[in-house]
C-alpha cells in the first residue's frame, strides 16, 4: 500500500496504526543508511495473534519511513513488521535418589501369662487335710501383662481318686454337672479370676482326691468373649454352648491332693496333742488309735495275709507233731 493510504486513520472502515508518537519525528542528518527503532510491545497499536503452526504469538505493526517532515514524497516507504515468538514444549527431568529410611529393631519382652488353682479351707488357709462336709473355696486366677485384654473361662473340671476313677463335675461350657457336689464358678469383673464355694466330698473307700480344671483365655475384642459371662442363667449356658474352646489358649491345672477323712472322724489338725510321758517313767508308751478305717482292698489283703499265716502255722504244727512220734 502507498504511504498516503497507510497514514490515514481509517480506510474502508479498517483501522490502521497512526503515526507513532512515542518519540518526536526528527530529521536527522546521518551518513548511514541504517536506522535502529525500538517499539514497546504495549504501544503503537501493535497487534497480537496466536498461531497454531508453528505454535506461538505473532506481533505485527506498520513502520513508515518519511523523508519530509510535512509532505509525502515518492521516497517514503511503509514496512509491515512481523515478529514471531515461538512456543516449544520442553520436558525437563531430574534424577533424585530416594533411599528408604533405615529400619530400627524394637525389642520388647512380654512376660507370659501364668495361671494357678488353689483350694482354701474354712479358715482361709491352703488346706490339704479336710473332712467330708467341710466348706472349702476353689480359687482360679491368671496373671497377665494385659489383664484388661482377656477374659477367663473355667471349664472341664474332673475329680480323680488317683486309681483310675474319674468323674466330671464342670463341663466344657463352664457349667456344673451336679449342683449337689459343686456349683458354677463366679467370675471377677476387675481381674482374671474366678471362685466358688463347695462342701468336701470323696469317693467311697478312698481317702484322697485330686481335682483337675482347664482355664481358657480369649481376647475381649473377639466374638467368643462376649459369650463368656459370670452369670449362671440358662440363657448364658445356651450361649456358652457355641464357644469353640479348642481355638483358645488353655491351661490344665491340678489342685493339691486332698486327704479326706469321714465326717465322724476328726482330722489330724483337730486332735488334741498327746500328753507328755511322766518324767519318772522309763517305759515306752505307744498310743494306738481307738479306731482304724481300712479300704475294701486293704481289708481283703489283711484277711488274705491272716489266712495264709494261720494255714502256715497249722502246717508247721502238724509237721512238728509227726516228727516227735
Amino acid at each position: 500500500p502507498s504511504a498516503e493510504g497507510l497514514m490515514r486513520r481509517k480506510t474502508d472502515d479498517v483501522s490502521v496504526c497512526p503515526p507513532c508518537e512515542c518519540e518526536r519525528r526528527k530529521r536527522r542528518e546521518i551518513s548511514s543508511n541504517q536506522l535502529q527503532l525500538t517499539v514497546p510491545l504495549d504501544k503503537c497499536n501493535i497487534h497480537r495473534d496466536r498461531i497454531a503452526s508453528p505454535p506461538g504469538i505473532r506481533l505485527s505493526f506498520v513502520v513508515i519511513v518519511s523523508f519530509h517532515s510535512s509532505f509525502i514524497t515518492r521516497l517514503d516507504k511503509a514496512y509491515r513488521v512481523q515478529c514471531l515468538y515461538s512456543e516449544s514444549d520442553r520436558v525437563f527431568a531430574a534424577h533424585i535418589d530416594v533411599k528408604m529410611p533405615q529400619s530400627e529393631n524394637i525389642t520388647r519382652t512380654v512376660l507370659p501369662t501364668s495361671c494357678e488353682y488353689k483350694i482354701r479351707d474354712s479358715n482361709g488357709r491352703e488346706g490339704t487335710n479336710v473332712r467330708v462336709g467341710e466348706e472349702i473355696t476353689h480359687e482360679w486366677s491368671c496373671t497377665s501383662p494385659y489383664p484388661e485384654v482377656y477374659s477367663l473361662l473355667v471349664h472341664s473340671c474332673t475329680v480323680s481318686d488317683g486309681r483310675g476313677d474319674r468323674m466330671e463335675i464342670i463341663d466344657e461350657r463352664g457349667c456344673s454337672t451336679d449342683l449337689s457336689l459343686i456349683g458354677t464358678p463366679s467370675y471377677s469383673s476387675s481381674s482374671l479370676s474366678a471362685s466358688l464355694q463347695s462342701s468336701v466330698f470323696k469317693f467311697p473307700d478312698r481317702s484322697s482326691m485330686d481335682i483337675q480344671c482347664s482355664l481358657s483365655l480369649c481376647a475381649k475384642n473377639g466374638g467368643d468373649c462376649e459369650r463368656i459371662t459370670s452369670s449362671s442363667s440358662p440363657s448364658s449356658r445356651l450361649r456358652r454352648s457355641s464357644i469353640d474352646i479348642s481355638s483358645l489358649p488353655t491351661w490344665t491345672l491340678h489342685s493339691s491332693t486332698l486327704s479326706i477323712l469321714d465326717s465322724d472322724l476328726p482330722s489330724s489338725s483337730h486332735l488334741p496333742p498327746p500328753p507328755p510321758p511322766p518324767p519318772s517313767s522309763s517305759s515306752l508308751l505307744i498310743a494306738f488309735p481307738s479306731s482304724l478305717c481300712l479300704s475294701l482292698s486293704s481289708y481283703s489283703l489283711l484277711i488274705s495275709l491272716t489266712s495264709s499265716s494261720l494255714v502256715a502255722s497249722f502246717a508247721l504244727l502238724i509237721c512238728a507233731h509227726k516228727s516227735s512220734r
Side-chain angles (χ1 to χ4, degrees), residues 171-182:
D171 60 18
E172 63 179 4
R173 300 173 300 163
C175 301
S176 172
T177 59
D178 191 343
L179 293 177
S180 63
L181 298 178
I182 195 170

Side-chain angles (χ1 to χ4, degrees), residues 1-29:
S2 64
E4 183 180 0
L6 293 175
M7 287 291 294
R8 297 172 182 170
R9 294 183 178 272
K10 291 187 179 181
T11 302
D12 298 331
D13 296 332
V14 177
S15 297
V16 296
C17 181
C20 182
E21 298 178 358
C22 298
E23 295 181 0
R24 281 188 170 183
R25 292 180 296 175
K26 296 181 180 180
R27 184 179 183 87
R28 299 182 181 180
E29 298 292 338

Side-chain angles (χ1 to χ4, degrees), residues 277-294:
S280 60
S281 174
S282 59
S283 61
L284 180 63
L285 298 179
I286 301 177
F288 292 94
S290 58
S291 60
L292 183 64
C293 179
L294 297 178

Side-chain angles (χ1 to χ4, degrees), residues 41-58:
L41 298 179
D42 58 343
K43 296 180 179 181
C44 297
N45 293 332
I46 295 179
H47 295 278
R48 295 171 179 260
D49 299 314
R50 180 172 291 277
I51 59 178
S53 180
I57 298 176
R58 182 176 59 192

Side-chain angles (χ1 to χ4, degrees), residues 85-162:
Y85 293 88
S86 62
E87 297 177 352
S88 61
D89 295 333
R90 295 183 180 182
V91 178
F92 297 90
H95 181 72
I96 301 176
D97 293 330
V98 180
K99 295 182 179 180
M100 295 297 294
Q102 187 176 2
S103 61
E104 180 180 357
N105 294 328
I106 300 176
T107 303
R108 182 178 181 183
T109 302
V110 179
L111 298 177
T113 301
S114 60
C115 300
E116 60 180 357
Y117 174 27
K118 295 181 180 180
I119 295 180
R120 300 186 183 275
D121 59 16
S122 56
N123 296 322
R125 300 188 299 265
E126 292 188 42
T128 56
N129 299 321
V130 292
R131 294 177 298 171
V132 173
E134 182 180 351
E135 291 292 329
I136 59 175
T137 302
H138 303 260
E139 294 180 353
W140 300 272
S141 61
C142 292
T143 302
S144 172
Y146 308 101
E148 69 279 358
V149 177
Y150 299 101
S151 290
L152 173 68
L153 176 65
V154 179
H155 63 94
S156 304
C157 294
T158 59
V159 292
S160 172
D161 64 349

Side-chain angles (χ1 to χ4, degrees), residues 237-278:
R237 290 198 293 269
L238 291 176
R239 291 197 299 269
R240 290 171 184 263
S241 62
S242 60
I243 300 176
D244 185 10
I245 299 298
S246 61
S247 62
L248 304 178
T250 301
W251 290 261
T252 300
L253 305 178
H254 294 261
S255 69
S256 301
T257 301
L258 298 178
S259 298
I260 305 174
L261 297 177
D262 291 331
S263 58
D264 55 348
L265 295 178
S267 62
S268 59
S269 60
H270 294 82
L271 289 176

